[in-house]
Amino acid sequence: MFILITQQIISMFIMIAVGVVLNKTGILPKEAGTYLSKVALKVLLPCAILNSFQIEYRDEIRNGLILAFVLAIVFNLILIIVPQILKKWLKLSVMEQASLSYPNSGEILIPLVVSVLSKELQVYCCAFMIVQLFFIFTHGEMLISGQSTLHIRSILGNINMIAIFIALLLFFLKIQLPSVAVKAVDSFAGMLAPTCMLAIGVSVGTCNLKQIFGEKRIYIICFLRLILMPVAILTLIKISGVANIMEGAKEIILVSFMATASSVSATITNMAYTYQNEERKASGINVMSVLFLVLTLPLMVMLYQLVMEM
């Protein structure tokens, strides 16, 4: 698993490098990265979500989804509470808190799960996503905007949330899309990883990496986001004994655990620019967390396997 995860992340890193080169050579300007991100989030990710639920309905998958939703709620609450506890001690800014609380559970996680684990397990990524989307457009948006108003429309109107509801409805009603539609959706879903990596590469290419690498504070945030937070959650997983609750639980938990160990959610950076709140810091943390993910995620998966075997 460690080797497979490492190989896949290196493959993604190569795609990012291609995006950097395309930006530096002027083939893909900064605006192209924005458009690629929009295509990925508004077309390709919804297709990946729909595609993930085009599987045969089985009781074990239904039970697995219930477990995945419970894990998602618990893990997301931990990710929100821990930065609140550390806030005064580490003097965390609003953007640093948000970066710690919200990992990338979609465009990076889904391709990884499909390529390294199995296509069937990506349905459990969606459980984490739907819970995270609720928190990110309530707690996360209020944190970054400084407002106390909930924007329910942001949650219900989110294209990925809509895709999840439709996918769940089709799954529980045992409705399969026509084969022609499945081929189109599957093809779009297969474009998710390359498109996201190119978008990240363009973003990296437009950043002042020398300045970002020189900010010691970003290293602290990345350490907390990519190592400390996942380790804390892994400790809870081991103590609770949830891995023995049902057959296949370890694989479902691994998917949720990988979500918590991912880089910072791109939505946080987008919100930072929307509300003009620490935009440069948000972008720097996002870029650095993606670069460090090449090293940290394989290590976290290896640690998970070692802990589960104890």
Side-chain angles (χ1 to χ4, degrees), residues 249-287:
K250 288 183 179 179
E251 288 76 19
I252 298 169
I253 297 169
L254 175 58
V255 171
S256 298
F257 175 69
M258 286 172 64
T260 68
S262 186
S263 55
V264 178
S265 172
T267 305
I268 294 301
T269 307
N270 294 336
M271 283 185 176
Y273 279 95
T274 299
Y275 293 106
Q276 299 181 341
N277 188 349
E278 298 185 281
E279 306 97 298
R280 191 177 65 83
K281 177 180 282 188
S283 181
I285 293 173
N286 186 284
V287 168

Side-chain angles (χ1 to χ4, degrees), residues 81-146:
I81 292 170
V82 171
Q84 287 291 322
I85 296 172
L86 298 175
K87 180 173 64 175
K88 289 185 178 180
W89 181 47
L90 295 176
K91 297 180 180 178
L92 298 175
S93 69
V94 164
M95 193 52 58
E96 289 170 343
Q97 291 178 61
S99 298
L100 293 178
S101 295
Y102 298 105
N104 191 319
S105 62
E107 57 268 37
I108 288 181
L109 182 65
I110 288 179
L112 268 176
V113 170
V114 172
S115 59
V116 177
L117 299 176
S118 76
K119 182 179 178 180
E120 191 171 274
L121 287 174
Q122 67 181 318
V123 298
Y124 307 121
C125 298
C126 297
F128 193 95
M129 280 181 59
I130 194 169
V131 174
Q132 188 188 58
L133 283 170
F134 173 79
F135 283 117
I136 207 168
F137 284 107
T138 50
H139 167 265
E141 191 165 12
M142 287 190 295
L143 188 66
I144 295 171
S145 67

Side-chain angles (χ1 to χ4, degrees), residues 2 7 23 39 56 59 67 79 86 114 121 125-126 129 173 183 195 204 217 245-246 262 273 275 285 293 298 310:
F2 173 82
Q7 289 176 338
N23 174 257
V39 170
E56 182 184 355
D59 288 343
L67 174 61
L79 292 175
L86 298 175
V114 172
L121 287 174
C125 298
C126 297
M129 280 181 59
L173 292 178
K183 287 182 180 179
T195 305
V204 172
R217 186 75 179 178
I245 196 170
M246 58 181 285
S262 186
Y273 279 95
Y275 293 106
I285 293 173
L293 193 68
M310 290 171 59

Side-chain angles (χ1 to χ4, degrees), residues 138-163:
T138 50
H139 167 265
E141 191 165 12
M142 287 190 295
L143 188 66
I144 295 171
S145 67
Q147 302 172 1
S148 58
T149 306
L150 292 176
H151 297 98
I152 302 300
R153 185 178 296 181
S154 298
I155 305 171
L156 299 179
N158 184 281
I159 184 64
N160 294 300
M161 187 70 83
I162 294 171

